[in-house]
């Protein structure tokens, strides 16, 4: 019984952490990116790993949204290629280009807008 309770608590902690990462704002991401070193040692910082995980989660959410639209028989808002090659510098540049008035949006919203612009369905 204790093992089951422990598994439940750990699951809630994991799911809660994933939701928190997905809810990172563009402003928070940009603050982390501005303070991160520009070398591989940046990944040693928990904040940089959190930001990287949040971006990855945003792209995964965008893919899931596209797939859900297709399953429902709707035209998705964007048609992402199977593989997207973006450097960290490209992602940072795009997030820094978000106007200050819109930097309170989540990374999920920002990535979705980016994919609508970059990969429209034809």
């Amino acid at each position: 019984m204790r093992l089951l309770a422990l598994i439940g608590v750990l699951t809630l902690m994991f799911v809660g952490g994933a939701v928190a990462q997905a809810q990172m704002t563009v402003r928070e991401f940009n603050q982390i990116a501005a303070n991160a070193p520009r070398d591989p040692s940046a990944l040693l910082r928990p904040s940089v790993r959190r930001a990287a995980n949040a971006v990855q989660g945003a792209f995964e959410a965008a893919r899931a949204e596209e797939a859900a639209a297709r399953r429902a028989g709707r035209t998705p808002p964007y048609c992402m290629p199977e593989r997207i090659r973006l450097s960290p510098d490209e992602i940072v540049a795009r997030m820094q280009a978000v106007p200050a008035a819109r930097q309170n949006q989540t990374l999920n919203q920002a990535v979705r807008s980016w994919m609508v612009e970059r990969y429209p369905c034809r």
Side-chain angles (χ1 to χ4, degrees):
M1 189 67 159
R2 284 186 181 186
L3 179 61
L4 194 56
L6 178 61
I7 290 172
V9 169
L10 291 174
T11 301
L12 286 175
M13 287 173 54
F14 175 74
V15 171
V19 169
Q21 289 173 354
Q23 298 305 315
M24 179 180 284
T25 67
V26 173
R27 185 175 320 285
E28 291 168 324
F29 176 86
N30 286 339
Q31 289 170 345
I32 292 168
N35 294 320
R38 298 289 185 236
D39 60 34
S41 72
L43 289 175
L44 297 174
R45 293 183 178 200
S47 62
V48 173
R49 282 195 313 273
R50 188 171 62 89
N53 289 338
V55 167
Q56 181 179 353
F59 276 95
E60 289 169 1
R63 276 215 192 276
E65 179 184 348
E66 179 184 5
R70 289 185 193 285
R71 281 192 306 274
R74 296 187 315 265
T75 302
Y78 41 82
C79 294
M80 296 167 62
E82 189 172 318
R83 290 201 180 261
I84 298 176
R85 303 259 185 227
L86 295 170
S87 72
D89 289 336
E90 288 175 292
I91 294 168
V92 168
R94 176 60 186 213
M95 294 305 137
Q96 288 175 341
V98 173
R102 295 187 55 218
Q103 287 196 4
N104 286 330
Q105 69 180 319
T106 65
L107 285 176
N108 284 10
Q109 293 166 319
V111 166
R112 183 184 190 283
S113 297
W114 188 11
M115 295 300 101
V116 166
E117 178 185 310
R118 187 169 177 152
Y119 301 113
C121 294
R122 303 212 189 280

